[in-house]
Amino acid sequence: MVTGSQQSPTVKGTILSGMRPTGRLHLGNYLGALENWVALQQEYRCIYTVVDIHALTTIESPKDVAEIQPNIHEMVLDWLAAGVDPERCILFVQSQVPEVMTLHTLLSMVTPLGWLLRVPTFKEKVRQMDETEESVNYGLVGYPVLQTADIVLYKADTVPVGQDQLPHLELAREIVRRFNHRFGDTFPEPQAKLTEAPLIVGLDGRQKMSKSLDNHIELAATPEETTRRVLTAFTDPQRVTRDIPGRPEVCNVYSLHKLFSPPDEVGTVYEECTTAARGCVDCKRHLAANINKYLEPLRERRQEYQQRPGYVKEVLEDGGKKARVIAQQTIGEVYEKMGLV
Ligand code: SF4
């Protein structure tokens, strides 16, 4: 049984953050968000959600639909394995608190269409989906309104974001300002908490680590699988034979060493690479061993949670109940403010 959340008496505020149900997470997700989530739970009241309704905006086939539930399970296992603590945080699935859809509709009454069409990520998504602004589904246009509803339904005042997500948060703030101006003070304006996560380049050495590009290393991969994948990593393209000194500064294997190897070993890698004293295969094996060491405690915890059937479901149901209590209070207040009761 999952028990009530423990909050520090000096809690700084309420954080809301979410992830789309993409299944098992990778190193980029860990260093880009999850590690930060674990740290934030020490100081804030944290509400973390699996944003499955957002995932529906880009779903294309029954196969995608069939993957949602297993993906939620696998992803939340990674959250727990990383140290996100259901005793401190509220963890739940977005669609299990239907009040968010009500609030989405109500907030859309104060959101000009022009604001949504100007969002840079909207235009980018339309291009990626090979659609036009006229043919794209309405859910995608309203994505930032649903994001705003996600945040303000729980009166969250702080949202951890990367630099690229700042325009979304600014839009949420504008929607909140408009709502408060028209209907009276109801929601806090959410503040950005900028996360300075390193950009994790994938094994192809060119693009951000991403599952869709298949250039990633899953947190839950076996040590053997991790080694196999690291051995495929691109290195310094000029180092075509072992006797040519390498250039660590252009090699992504070296960037990954800086993240996962102890500082003295990073120094050795640099020295031995630039003097051709080490080959790239040995260098990658060395990196894989250090990534495996780094992930070992997380993988052990994951195994433990995996051996507790029903635990993830229990955590999410428990979190959903807590989230719903807050959501219903907010919707009650919104109905009053908007003259609906
Ligand atoms: S030795 Fe290591 S750091 Fe140098 S180019 Fe090869 S993989 Fe990269």
Side-chain angles (χ1 to χ4, degrees), residues 235-236 239 251 253-254 269 273 278-280 283:
T235 63
D236 174 3
R239 201 174 181 211
C251 176
V253 172
Y254 182 68
V269 172
C273 171
R278 72 162 50 202
C280 291
C283 191

Side-chain angles (χ1 to χ4, degrees), residues 250-305:
V250 301
C251 176
N252 191 38
V253 172
Y254 182 68
S255 315
L256 293 170
H257 267 297
K258 286 200 280 187
L259 293 167
F260 298 105
S261 298
D264 58 323
E265 292 183 29
V266 176
T268 307
V269 172
Y270 190 93
E271 174 66 25
E272 294 185 351
C273 171
T274 50
T275 54
R278 72 162 50 202
C280 291
V281 173
D282 289 341
C283 191
K284 289 180 197 175
R285 286 196 184 281
H286 178 189
L287 171 65
N290 283 342
I291 292 177
N292 284 331
K293 205 184 295 170
Y294 183 92
L295 291 178
E296 198 179 318
L298 183 152
R299 287 170 174 169
E300 278 175 9
R301 276 196 299 272
R302 198 179 201 279
Q303 284 269 329
E304 284 164 25
Y305 288 123

Side-chain angles (χ1 to χ4, degrees), residues 20 58 115-129 133 136 140-141 143-144 147 162-169 171:
R20 288 165 72 121
T58 50
W115 287 5
L116 302 174
L117 296 178
R118 276 198 301 273
V119 173
T121 43
F122 169 69
K123 291 184 182 299
E124 197 185 310
K125 206 80 200 166
V126 169
R127 259 197 310 276
Q128 278 172 5
M129 292 170 78
E133 286 184 9
V136 83
L140 199 70
V141 184
Y143 199 110
Q147 269 188 330
Q163 198 77 34
D164 56 331
Q165 295 154 325
L166 277 176
H168 273 171
L169 191 67
L171 183 52

Side-chain angles (χ1 to χ4, degrees), residues 23-265:
R24 289 180 171 201
L25 298 176
H26 55 71
L27 285 176
N29 302 131
Y30 180 73
L31 295 175
L34 200 47
E35 194 184 33
N36 192 36
W37 279 18
V38 176
L40 289 170
Q41 69 187 359
Q42 314 296 336
E43 295 179 327
Y44 291 83
R45 171 191 190 223
C46 292
I47 305 178
Y48 296 138
T49 173
V50 182
V51 288
D52 56 344
I53 309 173
H54 286 289
L56 294 177
T57 56
T58 50
I59 257 168
E60 289 176 347
S61 68
K63 181 178 162 287
D64 296 339
V65 173
E67 284 171 357
I68 295 176
Q69 293 307 318
N71 279 350
I72 291 175
H73 183 84
E74 290 294 323
M75 187 170 80
V76 174
L77 263 180
D78 279 336
W79 289 6
L80 298 171
V84 175
D85 181 358
E87 299 288 322
R88 289 171 183 263
C89 313
I90 297 180
L91 312 181
F92 72 102
V93 179
Q94 184 189 29
S95 63
Q96 300 312 300
V97 183
E99 286 78 7
V100 77
M101 294 178 262
T102 306
L103 189 56
H104 173 214
T105 303
L106 298 176
L107 292 179
S108 72
M109 306 306 166
V110 296
T111 310
L113 183 60
W115 287 5
L116 302 174
L117 296 178
R118 276 198 301 273
V119 173
T121 43
F122 169 69
K123 291 184 182 299
E124 197 185 310
K125 206 80 200 166
V126 169
R127 259 197 310 276
Q128 278 172 5
M129 292 170 78
D130 213 12
E131 298 264 7
T132 64
E133 286 184 9
E134 283 71 33
S135 69
V136 83
N137 68 62
Y138 162 73
L140 199 70
V141 184
Y143 199 110
V145 185
L146 184 57
Q147 269 188 330
T148 308
D150 285 326
I151 301 165
V152 301
L153 185 58
Y154 306 100
K155 305 247 175 132
D157 48 28
T158 312
V159 181
V161 285
Q163 198 77 34
D164 56 331
Q165 295 154 325
L166 277 176
H168 273 171
L169 191 67
E170 192 43 47
L171 183 52
R173 288 159 57 83
E174 283 182 45
I175 294 171
V176 164
R177 281 198 285 270
R178 252 196 178 211
F179 186 97
N180 287 348
H181 179 73
R182 195 166 293 174
F183 299 106
D185 251 4
T186 310
F187 303 116
E189 269 184 46
Q191 307 294 318
K193 184 163 177 50
L194 264 181
T195 52
E196 285 170 25
L199 174 71
I200 312 299
V201 176
L203 297 172
D204 57 7
R206 287 189 293 274
Q207 303 178 76
K208 192 173 166 180
M209 189 173 280
S210 140
K211 200 171 192 166
S212 58
L213 297 169
D214 196 26
N215 63 2
H216 63 299
I217 297 170
E218 283 181 354
L219 300 175
T222 62
E224 296 74 26
E225 168 74 355
T226 303
T227 306
R228 194 184 64 71
R229 288 189 71 87
V230 172
L231 284 172
T232 67
F234 277 63
T235 63
D236 174 3
Q238 279 183 24
R239 201 174 181 211
V240 286
T241 56
R242 168 84 164 69
D243 56 334
I244 301 174
R247 298 171 300 164
E249 56 284 359
V250 301
C251 176
N252 191 38
V253 172
Y254 182 68
S255 315
L256 293 170
H257 267 297
K258 286 200 280 187
L259 293 167
F260 298 105
S261 298
D264 58 323
E265 292 183 29

